[in-house]
Amino acid sequence: MIRFDVLTLFPDLFAGYLSQSLLKLAIQAGLVQVHLWNIRDWSKDKHQRVDDRPFGGGPGMVMMAEPVVDCVEAVRAKAEPAGRLLMMTPTGRRLDQRLVEELAAEPRLLLLCGRYEGFDDRIRQVLTPTEVSIGDYVCNGGEVPAMAVIDTTIRLIPGVLGDEGSAADDSHSEPGRLEYPQYTRPRTYRELDVPDVLLGGNHRAIAAWRREQSAKRSEESS
Ligand code: 6GU
């Protein structure tokens, strides 16, 4: 069982994602819990503001320290253990399969999603989160990156994939290793044939072909 607490200004963005497919089944099976929290509920402002203009000037708005820190502390206090806090930010540690494995070993993850131009730096100074980025590009907020963390992490929770899938064969299960090409019916599509070796039933030959293809792909993309 892994528990996620998502702290966001846009909890409704998660409804569709949570209600579909693998994650839905994992939640129903009691293997995963996802709790959504609206940071705005911790605003003390009469207009419920959670962002303000940056000191020193410049474009955009900055997430204020007080509502964010209050929200994290309140959510932490709602359950044990306190959990590992991840701050979703493009300046964070790059999410790769090694970090995913590290996160999947945690019992509880708090995912702090920002919007606007970023977080008041004192949030980082007070909470000392693990700062996580999903790649070298900018998203409008931390919500899509948080979904990427959930999506990649739950695959490694025992029971989530069922007996059909095994994460051990996945691309990146070894650093830099990509999966071999897959085919299903029909045997010919737009004059493109499935490789003969996959139809022959020689399991050693199939395994050898797949190792070779996997090595070739990994080489090509590096
Ligand atoms: Cl975690 N947040 C945002 N806003 N943009 C990103 C990101 C995170 N990771 C890559 N781009």
Side-chain angles (χ1 to χ4, degrees):
M1 154 68 80
I2 184 166
R3 170 175 171 144
F4 298 94
D5 291 89
V6 183
L7 288 58
T8 169
L9 293 173
F10 300 96
D12 293 347
L13 281 177
F14 290 82
Y17 172 57
L18 293 175
S19 67
Q20 300 294 314
S21 187
L22 203 68
L23 182 53
K24 177 185 172 181
L25 294 175
I27 291 169
Q28 282 171 353
L31 298 168
V32 175
Q33 279 185 12
V34 183
H35 298 263
L36 299 172
W37 308 97
N38 192 332
I39 298 166
R40 202 174 295 285
D41 293 342
W42 278 270
S43 172
K44 286 183 178 151
D45 188 89
K46 68 174 173 201
H47 303 295
Q48 302 237 93
R49 288 169 57 111
V50 289
D51 63 304
D52 209 337
R53 289 168 301 149
F55 278 122
M61 302 292 269
V62 176
M63 299 273 289
M64 296 160 68
E66 192 178 28
V68 171
V69 172
D70 285 354
C71 178
V72 169
E73 289 177 344
V75 168
R76 279 217 145 118
K78 288 189 190 275
E80 295 261 282
R84 178 162 172 189
L85 177 64
L86 308 185
M87 177 189 263
M88 305 312 302
T89 163
T91 58
R93 171 176 165 191
R94 172 76 143 271
L95 185 70
D96 58 13
Q97 197 64 22
R98 193 170 63 96
L99 178 54
V100 171
E101 284 167 15
E102 199 180 304
L103 298 179
E106 301 277 351
R108 185 180 184 198
L109 295 172
L110 282 71
L111 306 178
L112 175 57
C113 306
R115 280 265 148 174
Y116 314 114
E117 310 313 300
F119 298 98
D120 186 310
D121 198 64
R122 289 165 296 188
I123 297 168
R124 206 178 52 75
Q125 295 172 40
V126 170
L127 298 172
T128 60
T130 301
E131 297 169 66
V132 176
S133 161
I134 61 167
D136 295 339
Y137 39 79
V138 180
C139 305
N140 286 324
E143 286 77 14
V144 166
M147 287 183 218
V149 168
I150 295 172
D151 215 83
T152 51
T153 304
I154 61 163
R155 297 176 57 75
L156 302 184
I157 303 301
V160 167
L161 292 187
D163 2 291
E164 268 210 53
S166 163
D169 277 0
D170 286 348
S171 297
H172 307 298
S173 52
E174 274 171 59
R177 193 192 137 278
L178 302 183
E179 209 185 334
Y180 45 80
Q182 299 272 27
Y183 296 86
T184 187
R185 293 190 299 169
R187 287 165 72 140
T188 303
Y189 170 70
R190 296 201 176 182
E191 296 178 356
L192 298 169
D193 296 327
V194 174
D196 282 336
V197 63
L198 299 178
L199 307 171
N202 180 340
H203 298 293
R204 289 182 60 152
I206 291 171
W209 181 85
R210 286 178 166 167
R211 272 196 302 277
E212 193 183 292
Q213 291 291 315
S214 178
K216 202 168 125 203
R217 274 193 173 178
S218 309
E219 177 62 33
E220 279 165 3
S221 82
S222 67

